[in-house]
Amino acid sequence: MIDAGYKATQDALLLADAVDAKSAKTVLDAGVGTGGVILPLMTRFPKLAAIGLDISQESLDLCAKNAELNGRKIELIKADITKWKTDRQFDIVVSNPPFFKGSGSREHHGADLAAWTAACARRLKPRGRIYMIVDPAVMTEVIRSLPDAIGGVTLTPIYSNKNSAERVVISGRLGTKEPSKIILKIS
């Protein structure tokens, strides 16, 4: 995988691994970057029709090359998820949002997570699932930003050898009243 621009991290693989897309037909990766989430996901579920959205043309170009190297077709769109004007909806929306605060490039730091999360949720089809991976320090902001119509919210804290979670995968389903739950996972 070409990764010359923004570097895909372990977060991307952990998020791709958390997604259950057995019955899904379409997936949107909001903030696709170089394809670190969407390409492993398409390897697990090759029949998925994939859309990747990013504000960085450089990242989209690298994602296109990575998709070609991996024999995958992804529709890539240069847009900001919070401003994207579309009526399209998806069975699954995945995102490894730019949750870092502070200095850094505009593309990869300091996103308005509430607006980002709400925009991702608006792209779901009825009964569609959202999956996001974030730092535990910002998980409350993401959870609060999920619309009331999202049920079955699941928190999967991801630990390594430390005493506290390094990341949390947050998922939920639009239009369900399933109870929330926590799933423990050691990476």
Side-chain angles (χ1 to χ4, degrees):
M1 185 161 134
I2 298 171
D3 208 12
Y6 180 76
K7 304 288 188 243
T9 65
Q10 175 179 308
D11 292 2
L13 293 175
L14 291 168
L15 180 57
D17 184 56
V19 175
D20 178 2
K22 285 184 280 251
S23 61
K25 294 180 182 169
T26 59
V27 62
L28 169 68
D29 185 343
V32 70
T34 59
V37 175
I38 198 73
L39 290 170
L41 188 58
M42 292 178 74
T43 298
R44 287 181 52 220
F45 304 100
K47 293 182 180 179
L48 279 175
I51 309 294
L53 194 73
D54 207 290
I55 62 173
S56 167
Q57 188 60 53
E58 178 186 11
S59 291
L60 290 170
D61 292 344
L62 289 169
C63 186
K65 289 177 186 173
N66 286 330
E68 184 179 341
L69 286 171
N70 286 278
R72 304 288 177 216
K73 293 195 183 291
I74 304 172
E75 179 184 348
L76 297 171
I77 299 170
K78 185 176 188 296
D80 178 333
I81 186 65
T82 64
K83 298 174 185 166
W84 189 31
K85 304 279 190 233
T86 185
D87 291 332
R88 294 170 81 175
Q89 293 183 309
F90 303 87
D91 297 312
I92 294 184
V93 176
V94 296
S95 188
N96 179 5
F99 55 79
F100 293 107
K101 305 294 183 195
S103 64
S105 68
R106 187 174 71 81
E107 290 93 350
H108 303 118
H109 288 81
D112 179 342
L113 282 176
W116 186 286
T117 302
C120 286
R122 281 193 302 275
R123 301 286 51 95
L124 289 172
K125 288 181 178 178
R127 307 284 294 163
R129 271 205 175 273
I130 186 169
Y131 294 86
M132 296 176 73
I133 188 166
V134 296
D135 187 284
V138 299
M139 73 178 179
T140 303
E141 184 177 356
V142 171
I143 294 165
R144 285 183 181 156
S145 303
L146 291 170
D148 290 340
I150 302 270
V153 175
T154 300
L155 304 178
T156 308
I158 301 170
Y159 295 84
S160 62
N161 59 358
K162 297 180 182 176
N163 292 330
S164 61
E166 292 182 30
R167 294 290 182 264
V168 176
V169 174
I170 301 167
S171 64
R173 175 169 272 171
L174 182 63
T176 184
K177 296 199 184 295
E178 295 171 22
S180 296
K181 59 186 171 184
I182 297 174
I183 299 172
L184 295 179
K185 186 172 188 171
I186 309 295
S187 65

